[in-house]
Amino acid sequence: MAELLKLGIPKGSLENATVDLFKKAGWQISISSRSYFPAVDDSELKCSLIRPQEMGKYVERGTIDVGIAGRDWVRENDSEVVEVCEMVYSKASRRPARWVLVVNGESKVQGPEDLHGATISTELVGFTKRYFAERNIPVNVEFSWGATEAKVVEGLCDAIVEVTETGSTIKANGLRIVCELMESVPVMVANKAAWADPWKRAKIEQIATLLQSALRAEGMVGLKMNAPQERVPAITEILPSLNNPTVAHLYNSDWVSIESVLPEKEVRRIVPELVKLGAEGIVEYPLNKII
């Protein structure tokens, strides 16, 4: 029987971005609304759709070998897994999610220690309990099914632990951030036994390498052009690149071809400057991967 790697695809907010990323990396994943087992064009993979909140525990058990989820949910379950790499999706958000301790704007609480004996509402119960226990601060932590911010506004609890990117919604509701408890980004995590298996580890590393190369290519483009030999120093001086631009002589000519990789947002600024410096035949092309 052929070797098989069981892969967890995060269901929910990261689902479409993950499928798009795998496509850029070289895998076609098809998700049906009637199935929790997406099809994939790789006979060595078996995919499952799993809520990020549960990804860590299923990876730890070995139900799946490797999966992608927020670091916050992996830590919430205190999962014993191998963190292979970070997966910061630009199509979802490049801002890390921040879990913060929040109180009513009129509260006198200035730090976690001021919440001795308080009731805290949150979706991140396990992590919050451990956070306060490690600091010997006795609190009552309750699970929140949603509308967590409203609970502290209405006085149903003394504080909340809530996720935010900018904090603007928290401030708009008349609440105040006391401190940040954790910063989270999507991560790829692997089962320890799978990571110790040579074939599975090689397959996981292959996937991680190509996914990260696709992430590095997001927002980047290739730019190539022709120019007179004497204009090369001036052009390369203003041309961004990962390392140095590639310069190659054109056959039987004193002109050269110049090629570089740069952020797409830089193109609109730099192309007019390149034209002024004598560049011609400027071509911009998309990139799928940067390895």
Side-chain angles (χ1 to χ4, degrees):
M1 185 175 178
E3 295 272 19
L4 192 67
L5 186 77
K6 294 171 288 185
L7 169 68
I9 302 294
K11 182 173 178 60
S13 61
L14 288 178
E15 184 177 327
N16 291 336
T18 299
V19 171
D20 288 344
L21 182 62
F22 267 88
K23 183 177 180 179
K24 287 185 68 176
W27 284 273
Q28 294 283 345
I29 297 176
S30 302
I31 297 178
S32 167
S33 59
R34 299 181 181 181
S35 175
Y36 282 89
F37 302 98
V40 58
D41 65 341
D42 186 337
S43 60
E44 296 176 340
L45 289 179
K46 179 182 178 181
C47 297
S48 300
L49 274 179
I50 297 176
R51 289 285 181 189
Q53 295 90 332
E54 300 180 296
M55 190 73 75
K57 69 180 181 182
Y58 286 127
V59 172
E60 181 179 29
R61 292 175 188 172
T63 307
I64 55 174
D65 297 310
V66 62
I68 297 170
R71 184 180 281 132
D72 46 4
W73 295 114
V74 175
R75 293 183 66 182
E76 164 67 1
N77 292 298
D78 203 18
S79 303
E80 291 289 328
V81 295
V82 177
E83 185 174 308
V84 180
C85 60
E86 292 187 354
M87 306 293 299
V88 185
Y89 295 57
S90 65
K91 285 192 176 181
S93 174
R94 285 201 180 272
R95 285 178 176 159
R98 300 186 300 134
W99 285 90
V100 292
L101 181 63
V102 177
V103 295
N104 193 295
E106 298 176 356
S107 172
K108 295 182 179 179
V109 171
Q110 296 300 315
E113 63 280 358
D114 297 330
L115 288 166
H116 190 284
T119 296
I120 300 173
S121 185
T122 184
E123 291 182 80
L124 212 65
V125 173
F127 171 83
T128 302
K129 284 182 176 179
R130 290 193 300 274
Y131 178 90
F132 281 92
E134 288 167 1
R135 290 157 180 77
N136 297 314
I137 304 171
V139 293
N140 174 38
V141 182
E142 297 179 337
F143 179 74
S144 173
W145 289 96
T148 308
E149 292 166 341
K151 292 180 173 65
V152 73
V153 171
E154 296 173 7
L156 300 177
C157 60
D158 301 296
I160 61 172
V161 171
E162 180 67 320
V163 66
T164 185
E165 285 188 359
T166 65
S168 57
T169 303
I170 290 171
K171 186 176 181 180
N173 281 288
L175 305 178
R176 175 170 55 83
I177 295 176
V178 176
C179 63
E180 182 178 307
L181 306 189
M182 174 176 50
E183 190 174 90
S184 176
V185 295
V187 292
M188 176 181 284
V189 292
N191 172 268
K192 288 187 172 182
W195 190 246
D197 178 279
W199 183 88
K200 288 187 175 181
R201 178 164 179 167
K203 186 69 175 179
I204 292 168
E205 290 177 334
Q206 175 203 27
I207 294 169
T209 296
L210 291 174
L211 289 180
Q212 288 194 300
S213 71
L215 285 170
R216 281 192 290 271
E218 289 186 346
M220 304 292 285
V221 296
L223 201 67
K224 58 184 178 181
M225 69 210 73
N226 295 331
Q229 171 70 50
E230 66 270 15
R231 306 305 305 190
V232 170
I235 289 174
T236 55
E237 185 176 342
I238 68 164
L239 193 62
S241 64
L242 292 178
N243 293 304
N244 290 309
T246 299
V247 180
H249 283 275
L250 299 182
Y251 176 70
N252 199 25
S253 171
D254 58 358
W255 279 55
V256 298
S257 172
I258 304 173
E259 191 164 1
S260 187
V261 173
L262 66 158
E264 185 175 15
K265 63 183 179 182
E266 289 290 318
V267 173
R268 61 178 182 255
R269 176 189 64 81
I270 202 167
V271 164
E273 296 182 36
L274 293 172
V275 172
K276 289 178 182 178
L277 290 173
E280 296 181 4
I282 300 172
V283 177
E284 176 188 341
Y285 54 92
L287 302 173
N288 278 335
K289 307 177 189 70
I290 298 177
I291 302 174

